[in-house]
Amino acid sequence: MADTSGSVPAIAGGVAALVAEAAARLDATGSGSPRLDAELLLGHVLGVDRIGVIAHPEAPVGAGARAQFAAEVARREAGEPVAYIRGFREFHGLAIATDPRALIPRPETELLVDAALAEVTARLAAPSRPAGAPAIRVADVGTGSGAIAIALLAALRARRMAEHVVVVAADVSADALQLARENAVGHGLADRLVFVEADLLPPVVDPRFAVVCANLPYVATAQLDGLARDLSFEPRTALDGGPDGLDLVRRLLDRLPDALTPDGVALLEIGADQGDAIVEAAAHQLPGWRCSVQADLAGLPRLARVGPRPGAAAGDRR
Ligand code: GLN
């Protein structure tokens, strides 16, 4: 955007006026974040970030950009998420391409990435790890857009550790996997990722994973219809977790004894009301294993850590 500080007079219909008008419309049509939406969309149209929009309230906007902005605001008024209109969402400091092939990455899932990063780096730094040891294997189950796998690898690359790690990104949806591949290529990480079309995990996991990450669908079916209109634009299969939301999570728990290394850990995103239920499910399905729940920044239960107790033989169960 041109620098309009100084002598350029305010023009009716400039950036600030467009944002104000769009925000009022989006507020009236049910967006929970009308001003933010308007700023993001205008930035998208003008090819600047949100700061650029806020910093240049007086900047004039040409007719072509106005028309495109009006069209994008109309899509948002109909409930389409901003991330689908812009075609990407910021996640863990990266722009992740988003479209209706997969769930839009949520900020709370960054907690899972940070936890996975800590697990992987601790293993790489362990004094017991011999030089030349095979790469640490990580699974991202239900990878969707690939956000978790890619954010983890990007963070490892920044620490010059990515070459010691392989991430297997699995999804039951071929469409989602294609989007994840596009994101991996876009971030230059395709060589560290293996994409697998599978219901949770492949039937046989060999070698096993040191870390299994999963943000599976965990919304209870009955709750889905009552949720925000925007969710109806996202694939239902990425959200619907069955009657109590934990159908897929429980199926994954059943796979862990054959999928995790003896010192392995599964990091599972859960809903804010599922902290007790996941601990119960793990105690029932994986007796003798540990399961703890970590809260997110809002103080809500969000991340379950499940794994064999140190010293127990992997594969021990019931
Ligand atoms: N946190 C998401 C939501 O409530 C749900 C994501 C999921 O089911 N994995 O919109």
Side-chain angles (χ1 to χ4, degrees):
M1 195 185 317
D3 181 2
T4 57
S5 54
S7 61
V8 178
I11 297 174
V15 160
L18 284 180
V19 166
E21 192 205 312
R25 269 168 57 186
L26 292 172
D27 191 27
T29 47
S31 166
S33 51
R35 176 157 289 271
L36 172 64
D37 294 0
E39 288 165 354
L40 289 172
L41 292 177
L42 188 55
H44 178 238
V45 165
L46 297 176
V48 300
D49 63 14
R50 196 176 152 224
I51 307 302
V53 170
I54 295 167
H56 298 279
E58 324 263 275
V61 178
R66 266 166 203 282
Q68 196 192 332
F69 182 56
E72 295 198 357
V73 170
R75 285 169 69 183
R76 181 71 195 112
E77 282 189 281
E80 190 170 346
V82 170
Y84 285 163
I85 301 171
R86 290 207 298 168
F88 70 95
R89 172 80 186 248
E90 294 86 358
F91 179 76
H92 213 268
L94 303 176
I96 298 291
T98 50
D99 65 34
R101 287 177 288 180
L103 190 83
I104 298 163
R106 311 285 203 262
E108 56 266 30
T109 306
E110 295 177 345
L111 181 66
L112 200 163
V113 174
D114 290 336
L117 185 61
E119 292 289 345
V120 171
T121 52
R123 283 167 171 75
L124 284 172
S128 55
R129 182 175 164 83
I136 290 186
R137 284 167 54 81
V138 177
D140 178 18
V141 181
T143 193
S145 65
I148 294 169
I150 290 161
L152 172 62
L153 281 168
L156 287 166
R157 178 173 56 193
R159 291 164 174 72
R160 307 203 184 288
M161 289 174 156
E163 66 271 28
H164 304 296
V165 179
V166 167
V167 180
V168 175
D171 208 288
V172 73
S173 158
D175 281 350
L177 280 176
Q178 192 49 39
L179 176 59
R181 269 189 207 100
E182 289 162 22
N183 270 314
V185 170
H187 288 284
L189 288 165
D191 61 331
R192 305 306 324 159
L193 271 157
V194 180
F195 294 97
V196 179
E197 191 177 329
D199 180 15
L200 301 179
L201 286 164
V204 176
V205 174
D206 185 28
R208 295 177 182 223
F209 297 109
V211 181
V212 168
C213 308
N215 175 21
L216 291 168
Y218 57 69
V219 182
T221 307
Q223 261 177 33
L224 253 188
D225 299 316
L227 284 179
R229 168 191 62 174
D230 303 15
L231 282 185
S232 68
F233 285 78
E234 296 181 85
R236 200 176 164 100
T237 47
L239 291 160
D240 189 347
D244 72 347
L246 286 171
D247 277 6
L248 285 96
V249 171
R250 277 188 296 262
R251 283 211 285 123
L252 181 59
L253 291 181
D254 272 337
R255 294 294 316 274
L256 293 180
D258 301 318
L260 279 182
T261 57
D263 68 341
V265 65
L267 304 167
L268 314 174
E269 185 171 320
I270 54 167
D273 56 353
Q274 293 170 339
D276 294 341
I278 186 76
V279 171
E280 250 172 62
H284 175 68
Q285 294 175 246
L286 301 165
W289 283 38
R290 66 204 151 87
C291 174
S292 60
V293 174
Q294 186 183 333
D296 63 17
L297 290 176
L300 302 168
R302 185 63 61 196
L303 181 65
R305 288 164 193 275
V306 183
R309 278 189 199 283
D316 276 3
R317 61 192 309 201
R318 277 187 251 273

